[in-house]
Amino acid sequence: MAKDHAGGPEDYEAMIEEVLEAYPVKARKKRAKHLSVSGATEEAPDATTGIASKCDTTKSNIKSIPGVMTIRGCAYAGSKGVVWGPVKDMVHISHGPVGCGQYSWSQRRNYYIGKTGVDSFVTMQFTTDFQEKDIVFGGDKKLAKTIDEINELFPLSNGVTIQSECPIGLIGDDIEAVAREKKKETGKTMVPVRCEGFRGVSQSLGHHIANDAVRDWVFEQPESEAVKAYEPGPYDVNVIGDYNIGGDAWASRILLEEMGLNVVGNWSGDATLAEIERAPKAKLNLIHCYRSMNYICRYMEEKYGIGWMEYNFFGPTQIAASLRAIAKNFDETIQENAEKVIAKYQPLVDEVIAKFRPRLEGKSVMLYVGGLRPRHVVTAYDDLGMVIAGTGYEFGHADDYKRTGHYVKEGTLIYDDVTSYELEKFIEKMRPDLVGSGIKEKYPVQKMGIPFRQMHSWDYSGPYHGYDGFAIFARDMDLAINNPVWGLYGAPWEKPAIAAE
Amino acid sequence: MPQSADKVLDHAPLFQQPEYKEMLAQKKVKFECGHPDELVQEIGDWTKSWEYREKNLAREALTVNPAKACQPLGAVFASQGYEATMPFVHGSQGCVAYYRSHLSRHFKEPSSCVSSSMTEDAAVFGGLVNLVDGLANTKALYDPKMIAVSTTCMAEVIGDDLNSFILQAKEKGSVEATFDVPYAHTPAFVGSHVDGYDNMQKGILSHFWNKAERVESDSINIIPGFDGFAVGNNREIKRMLDEMGVTFTFLSDVSDVYDTPSDGEFRMYAGGTKLEDARAALNARATISLQEWCTPKTMEYIAEKGQQTAALHYPMGIQATDEFLMKVSELTGKPIPDSLKLERGRLVDALADSQAHLHGKTYAIYGDPDFVYAMARFVMEMGGEPVHCLATNGGKKWAKQMEALLASSPFGKQGQVWAGKDLWHMRSLLNTEPVDMLIGNSYGKYLERDTGTPLIRLMFPIFDRHHHHRFPTMGYQGALNVLVKLLDTVFDKLDDDTIVPGETDYSYDLTR
């Protein structure tokens, strides 16, 4: 496919060179391997998007260089913030000093229903609040006592996860021993997670460690009552890697149920421990955020023989393709139902596109997000006539970049673990119509007069998944781009402002 | 199907549609394996009891919903208040992502800060290489005039020595030998963000002052402390000092950093204390800290350098502002001008006009130690009664100060001081000894939901309301803003309680 936006690969390559000039030599050499322009490939075009490009940066998933304002987080953020934090009926202890739990408290918008503080605990901050003496003498006793106090004050909590902060691994605490002892005493699930922030190079290792903790401390334990009581059915599926941000998992579940499928477990937005435990009884794992939960899917495949497939519920083109692909794993009834669901929502899709596409047609977008979104949302923009000028991952691996080639066209700027310096320079030079990234990037970009949407938290909106979510997505892109504020940046008595270009 | 292109429903209305309600009800019954509703109800009621309160207050190890953050956040905030200064946090990189997000979510502004991105190898071998390379990269990319280094708990646990590392980095040419790289060790497992603020301030001032000779001038220094309302407050304090004709230097002033214009240009650095002014601040006659608990070490250091010092508790309200102005007057010899007396009179006039609505109202107040002190004091000036005064990062000395304050007024009679307690303790306190209003930050919204106590957001961080921090809470003008917030809460509650036509037609008064 030919590029269809301003600025060709040559321009972008020259721009990359120019931006890199600011770095000291050692850093420049390293950063050059993370920036590229998507090129041609021999591979066949993707069946849904009709696209094939080569998006690989030379390097990804390696250490960030120091002193450059990387946008990445840490392993703790990947485990507590992403994978475990949304499990609603367990208490997640931020084990260590107070800050990590404080800054991540209630920030992921993992919606859930429950009596917070009584049978649900997602929007609470539990911490061992380490003091100097805990560092010096070790924190295991404090941890044990913390778990005792949780059981006393929150008797309906169905278990505890221990989310390690940096000091835990450095002072030689044995949180696994504490977990085993407390499990024995209380009979409740105890999950120690070695997600200290210095491990690995980003959130990504935290996801992996958190997945491994599901394996070791939930699956590899004696069957719970919830599992024993469950009778599997032929249409049982798990949704894996949907954190119900702004209600995404609900807007997805409604479609799967309309198709006639049973969503046994939703990992991990609005999930209970039982939903985690029962997952191995399902027929198929449907994985949305591949990056954060592919590990446990592979394990379930190997151990329990459950197949897994990636799907994409952003935008009508991908939703319809995904519904059909999911249905293919089941009988004709389900396949017919999938067609009915697609047909049912088609009028909504047509209306949304008729209303918003003319307002968004041809607008260019730059993305910089984590997980699956740098590629998964691309087709939704395409459904609205918008064009991706650049995209990149905070913590993607080579397999993510490979998959990106099914979504973005040749000539797209690709940036891995972009520094705020590079991102700002790229945005300044490319001046896209919209940038989708995180809270740290939002305000600098808006100061430049460029519309912005937070694409981690949906900027306090959402859901964006499913057909209901697509309408919200379209509305939000419209309200971001077409708000009158961008025309007010320049004082009228001065030269025309940038925003009026 | 509830969704339409005409009227797009997002999360709040969408999930209240029958399709979703039914789906979630089914999910609960079929898949969640939750506890029976009666049991949830029973335990929920129990958590509101005196029995639960006693168990809750007896906690020794567990902290739930604390009202404090960790040291480096305060250090980053203090550094950002200096001209073209890049805060550099030595340790794991995730921490910096958190500080930046936290500050941006409150101020709705960019927040710049870098990390030395230490990982496992640095945990084993130390983070020297990270610091050496990091300083060079920061200097090259972001062209700061100063790089202020603090530490995460990782660097502290492995014992990295900033002084030695920075010297080595300079020797290796990361930055020129003369480039300003002040530093502070800011372990997250000691104290809270207010201590990090203190350590960084002391670090920056010692960097500029240690080898300098002091020649006393007429100027005074103001150290504002960690303050979520710094944008409004710093400007208000400066305005009052200008009214008095005082020569002064603000030591760390984020008011322009966290309030840059939208005009097409992103300014990574804006305003802040000029480095030459920070250097010259040694010569000041005196330094006033607006928040004693944010500056104990800094003020001790300044006093050692020969300056007069005074530490206040957040000059908010009438008497606290009076004291601030009188202290400035005492230290500078400048009289308090009539223009400020006029402002004071106008504020008192407003209080008198509204006193009937605030007299006898009861409050729970939480936040940083100096804020809680000031708020309780101001509440009492309005005839209100502080019932629960809580600071997770308040210690025994703070508790004594609070007790003395409460004892100084008949309105403080039922006041209780909760040093080191958290917001889950506060929940028990509100359930067992309810109050009319809760004053705190955005995290208080869960208490508002659980206990029905209206929340007034006057403390960092405020994530879910916009732009309040742009208006001052300090000084007479600030007190007026605070007064209006309290009154609006009282009036909104009166209206909300009597808003059902045909049921509560009384008391829904037009004039109050």
Side-chain angles (χ1 to χ4, degrees):
Chain A
M1 296 282 293
K3 67 184 170 54
D4 54 3
H5 50 82
E10 307 77 26
D11 298 351
Y12 284 177
E13 269 152 23
M15 177 179 70
I16 291 171
E17 287 300 312
E18 196 187 328
V19 168
L20 284 172
E21 274 169 23
Y23 283 95
V25 179
K26 185 173 166 189
R28 189 187 311 155
K29 277 187 188 158
K30 288 188 175 173
R31 285 304 308 157
K33 294 173 183 165
H34 297 261
L35 307 172
S36 71
V37 183
S38 62
T41 174
E42 299 293 302
E43 281 183 32
D46 180 87
T48 306
T49 62
I51 291 172
S53 71
K54 189 174 184 306
C55 293
D56 314 14
T57 54
T58 319
K59 294 278 186 188
S60 60
N61 193 34
I62 58 168
K63 278 195 281 188
S64 304
I65 56 175
V68 300
M69 232 183 298
T70 170
I71 291 157
R72 284 173 167 178
C74 63
Y76 164 88
S79 176
K80 186 265 185 178
V82 175
V83 175
W84 277 106
V87 179
K88 65 182 177 180
D89 59 345
M90 298 177 83
V91 168
H92 310 291
I93 304 172
S94 293
H95 186 38
V98 70
C100 317
Q102 202 70 2
Y103 309 125
S104 56
W105 179 5
S106 288
Q107 294 297 358
R108 285 265 301 168
R109 301 187 68 234
N110 309 110
Y111 282 178
Y112 65 99
I113 303 281
K115 292 261 171 19
T116 302
V118 181
D119 68 353
S120 304
F121 310 94
V122 179
T123 49
M124 294 174 71
Q125 144 51 342
F126 292 84
T127 175
T128 41
D129 188 13
F130 261 34
Q131 301 300 306
E132 198 150 24
K133 64 176 189 301
D134 303 313
I135 301 287
V136 176
F137 299 110
D140 285 341
K141 278 188 186 150
K142 189 174 200 180
L143 175 63
K145 189 159 200 176
T146 297
I147 295 172
D148 292 344
E149 290 177 356
I150 287 169
N151 283 325
E152 187 177 14
L153 290 167
F154 305 95
L156 300 186
S157 62
N158 285 332
V160 166
T161 73
I162 302 152
Q163 305 290 330
S164 302
E165 299 172 8
C166 287
I168 305 306
L170 299 171
I171 61 176
D173 275 9
D174 190 353
I175 59 170
E176 290 80 8
V178 176
R180 272 190 290 269
E181 179 197 317
K182 289 296 151 192
K183 173 156 175 118
K184 211 167 155 191
E185 265 176 48
T186 64
K188 288 187 183 181
T189 298
M190 297 286 151
V191 184
V193 192
R194 288 285 182 177
C195 54
E196 289 90 342
F198 63 81
R199 291 192 198 279
V201 302
S202 67
Q203 293 91 316
S204 187
L205 188 63
H207 305 141
H208 197 152
I209 293 168
N211 277 226
D212 289 352
V214 173
R215 177 194 66 201
D216 297 343
W217 298 88
V218 180
F219 287 171
E220 309 273 291
Q221 301 288 326
E223 271 197 350
S224 72
E225 292 308 313
V227 178
K228 286 179 196 155
Y230 192 72
E231 286 181 24
Y235 301 130
D236 288 356
V237 297
N238 298 310
V239 169
I240 308 286
D242 189 328
Y243 302 105
N244 205 30
I245 291 165
D248 280 341
W250 294 337
S252 304
R253 184 184 196 95
I254 204 163
L255 301 177
L256 297 171
E257 288 189 354
E258 280 180 46
M259 254 169 85
L261 300 176
N262 277 321
V263 182
V264 179
N266 188 88
W267 288 26
S268 56
D270 192 37
T272 59
L273 175 61
E275 292 181 55
I276 310 280
E277 289 172 340
R278 286 169 165 183
K281 296 218 170 186
K283 293 279 173 271
L284 182 66
N285 279 326
L286 307 175
I287 182 162
H288 209 244
C289 183
Y290 170 85
R291 181 72 276 130
S292 59
M293 282 207 184
N294 75 85
Y295 318 100
I296 199 71
C297 290
R298 292 174 196 279
Y299 176 76
M300 281 196 257
E301 182 176 42
E302 199 179 291
K303 172 96 187 209
Y304 309 106
I306 305 170
W308 56 278
M309 60 167 285
E310 293 172 66
Y311 72 105
N312 181 345
F313 270 5
F314 288 108
T317 301
Q318 292 288 355
I319 297 171
S322 291
L323 288 173
R324 289 186 176 117
I326 293 167
K328 265 195 183 162
N329 295 280
F330 297 93
D331 58 27
E332 278 176 11
T333 320
I334 299 290
Q335 290 172 24
E336 280 162 23
N337 288 349
E339 293 306 324
K340 281 182 200 159
V341 172
I342 295 164
K344 175 186 161 186
Y345 286 94
Q346 196 57 47
L348 172 67
V349 170
D350 294 342
E351 277 173 40
V352 169
I353 289 176
K355 179 173 176 182
F356 293 106
R357 185 163 178 143
R359 302 169 61 81
L360 299 168
E361 187 84 52
K363 301 285 186 192
S364 62
V365 185
M366 284 173 73
L367 296 170
Y368 182 67
V369 219
L372 73 164
R373 291 166 180 169
R375 63 175 178 276
H376 255 44
V377 297
V378 168
T379 322
Y381 282 109
D382 191 49
D383 288 333
L384 294 168
M386 300 170 77
V387 183
I388 303 299
T391 192
Y393 297 81
E394 268 185 42
F395 46 82
H397 300 203
D399 52 359
D400 290 301
Y401 285 97
K402 189 165 170 46
R403 284 167 166 77
T404 311
H406 301 275
Y407 287 91
V408 301
K409 297 170 185 173
E410 279 175 48
T412 306
L413 185 67
I414 306 290
Y415 27 84
D416 176 71
D417 182 24
V418 79
T419 68
S420 72
Y421 177 83
E422 293 159 12
L423 188 62
E424 278 149 32
K425 291 290 169 203
F426 291 151
I427 291 169
E428 206 173 273
K429 289 170 194 296
M430 292 164 71
R431 292 206 70 83
D433 297 298
L434 180 76
V435 174
S437 190
I439 184 71
K440 304 189 289 299
E441 296 70 65
K442 178 180 173 104
Y443 301 107
V445 172
Q446 290 193 166
K447 301 275 179 198
M448 296 184 214
I450 294 172
F452 188 97
R453 288 297 296 182
Q454 289 182 64
M455 292 301 282
H456 300 263
S457 66
W458 304 148
D459 229 319
Y460 322 120
S461 178
Y464 283 177
H465 291 179
Y467 288 110
D468 288 343
F470 177 63
I472 303 163
F473 173 80
R475 180 204 66 178
D476 287 354
M477 298 313 132
D478 175 45
L479 67 80
I481 290 177
N482 294 311
N483 188 278
V485 72
W486 313 116
L488 299 172
Y489 271 46
W493 56 88
E494 288 183 340
K495 286 179 204 157
I498 299 157
E501 270 176 8
Chain B
M1 183 166 47
Q3 192 62 290
S4 77
D6 262 355
K7 193 170 167 28
V8 174
L9 304 179
D10 60 18
H11 46 91
L14 183 66
F15 298 132
Q16 291 180 37
Q17 301 303 311
E19 291 90 335
Y20 278 99
K21 282 185 146 177
E22 173 61 21
M23 181 188 84
L24 291 172
Q26 286 298 316
K27 173 178 186 282
K28 185 178 170 188
V29 174
K30 286 165 73 176
F31 300 108
E32 292 192 350
C33 298
H35 301 283
D37 289 346
E38 310 76 55
L39 182 62
V40 174
Q41 183 67 43
E42 187 193 314
I43 297 293
D45 291 343
W46 172 65
T47 66
K48 295 175 186 168
S49 67
W50 274 93
E51 184 201 339
Y52 187 89
R53 167 178 161 149
E54 274 154 31
K55 279 183 193 293
N56 192 9
L57 285 169
R59 265 191 274 140
E60 287 175 359
L62 169 68
T63 298
V64 188
N65 299 353
K68 66 170 181 182
C70 66
Q71 278 212 46
L73 182 82
V76 167
F77 181 86
S79 311
Q80 287 171 331
Y82 287 86
E83 177 191 13
T85 296
M86 180 61 79
F88 183 113
V89 188
H90 181 55
S92 304
Q93 71 192 11
C95 313
V96 168
Y98 278 143
Y99 315 139
R100 295 180 63 210
S101 303
H102 205 66
L103 291 163
S104 277
R105 285 176 178 133
H106 170 82
F107 288 107
K108 316 295 179 201
E109 289 286 325
S111 182
S112 298
C113 176
V114 297
S115 163
S116 63
S117 294
M118 284 162 65
T119 55
E120 280 139 318
D121 52 349
V124 177
F125 302 110
L128 177 62
V129 177
N130 298 65
L131 194 103
V132 170
D133 289 351
L135 286 180
N137 289 334
T138 303
K139 180 72 170 47
L141 285 193
Y142 300 113
D143 192 27
K145 289 193 173 158
M146 175 160 93
I147 300 175
V149 184
S150 54
T151 48
T152 75
C153 54
M154 178 205 181
E156 288 299 319
V157 172
I158 65 172
D160 278 4
D161 178 358
L162 288 184
N163 185 34
S164 146
F165 282 18
I166 292 166
L167 285 174
Q168 293 182 63
K170 286 186 169 181
E171 276 167 21
K172 289 178 199 291
S174 297
V175 293
E176 310 86 272
T178 53
F179 188 78
D180 293 314
V181 188
Y183 67 89
H185 286 276
T186 50
F189 45 82
V190 177
S192 73
H193 58 288
V194 298
D195 301 285
Y197 181 93
D198 187 25
N199 286 330
M200 194 73 239
Q201 282 281 31
K202 187 183 168 190
I204 291 171
L205 296 182
S206 346
H207 168 79
F208 286 122
W209 296 0
N210 268 0
K211 288 176 187 158
E213 273 299 311
R214 180 166 177 269
V215 184
E216 187 164 307
S217 72
D218 284 343
S219 182
I220 59 166
N221 301 322
I222 303 289
I223 302 183
F226 190 98
D227 181 16
F229 282 73
V231 170
N233 281 342
N234 291 3
R235 288 175 186 165
E236 181 60 15
I237 295 287
K238 286 189 265 183
R239 189 189 64 83
M240 290 194 292
L241 293 171
D242 285 340
E243 288 281 312
M244 289 182 74
V246 169
T247 312
F248 64 90
T249 301
F250 247 73
L251 294 174
S252 179
D253 177 10
V254 299
S255 61
D256 289 348
V257 182
Y258 279 123
D259 194 18
T260 58
S262 268
D263 59 1
E265 183 195 344
F266 162 49
R267 297 160 178 82
M268 181 167 277
Y269 311 112
T273 307
K274 292 231 173 323
L275 302 189
E276 64 204 70
D277 293 348
R279 195 170 276 123
L282 169 64
N283 302 324
R285 178 182 296 174
T287 295
I288 300 177
S289 162
L290 300 187
Q291 299 194 61
E292 182 184 359
W293 294 107
C294 288
T295 53
K297 289 182 189 162
T298 307
M299 294 306 275
E300 192 188 330
Y301 171 75
I302 293 172
E304 278 168 16
K305 286 281 153 188
Q307 289 189 26
Q308 298 178 64
T309 57
L312 308 176
H313 296 295
Y314 208 90
M316 176 172 67
I318 303 254
Q319 294 168 79
T321 305
D322 294 347
E323 272 175 24
F324 167 69
L325 295 176
M326 289 190 294
K327 183 53 84 179
V328 171
S329 179
E330 178 197 321
L331 292 169
T332 61
K334 304 257 184 186
I336 300 167
D338 285 347
S339 59
L340 289 174
K341 191 179 161 199
L342 182 62
E343 284 180 25
R344 185 184 192 279
R346 287 173 177 154
L347 171 63
V348 174
D349 181 71
L351 288 176
D353 295 345
S354 309
Q355 54 88 12
H357 294 285
L358 294 173
H359 192 101
K361 287 282 183 293
T362 55
Y363 297 84
I365 302 162
Y366 72 86
D368 288 342
D370 293 293
F371 168 82
V372 174
Y373 186 97
M375 196 68 239
R377 191 180 192 191
F378 188 25
V379 156
M380 294 195 293
E381 287 173 348
M382 294 183 280
E385 301 181 22
V387 176
H388 304 295
C389 302
L390 182 149
T392 309
N393 50 357
K396 281 183 191 147
K397 282 188 192 160
W398 170 78
K400 279 220 161 117
Q401 282 180 343
M402 284 301 302
E403 277 154 14
L405 171 71
L406 293 167
S408 71
S409 161
F411 294 92
K413 218 183 254 174
Q414 54 170 332
Q416 300 168 71
V417 182
W418 303 100
K421 298 297 177 190
D422 57 43
L423 299 186
W424 194 253
H425 292 124
M426 181 66 102
R427 184 180 185 269
S428 280
L429 302 175
L430 294 174
N431 277 323
T432 48
E433 293 176 279
V435 294
D436 296 317
M437 281 172 269
L438 171 66
I439 298 176
N441 56 20
S442 285
Y443 298 121
K445 74 188 298 175
Y446 300 118
L447 292 169
E448 182 175 41
R449 183 173 66 178
D450 277 4
T451 68
T453 320
L455 169 68
I456 301 158
R457 294 161 177 83
L458 283 165
M459 177 76 221
F460 178 89
I462 301 174
F463 296 136
D464 62 339
R465 298 291 184 274
H466 292 194
H467 308 311
H468 289 271
H469 67 276
R470 296 177 197 265
F471 301 92
T473 55
M474 289 180 181
Y476 302 126
Q477 294 299 326
L480 195 60
N481 288 331
V482 174
L483 171 70
V484 171
K485 280 182 214 277
L486 301 192
L487 285 168
D488 280 349
T489 307
V490 169
F491 295 138
D492 285 348
K493 177 91 170 47
L494 272 176
D495 286 343
D496 286 350
D497 287 350
T498 56
I499 204 153
V500 186
E503 264 186 50
T504 52
D505 306 271
Y506 48 83
S507 310
Y508 195 72
D509 291 325
L510 182 64
T511 307
R512 286 176 171 138

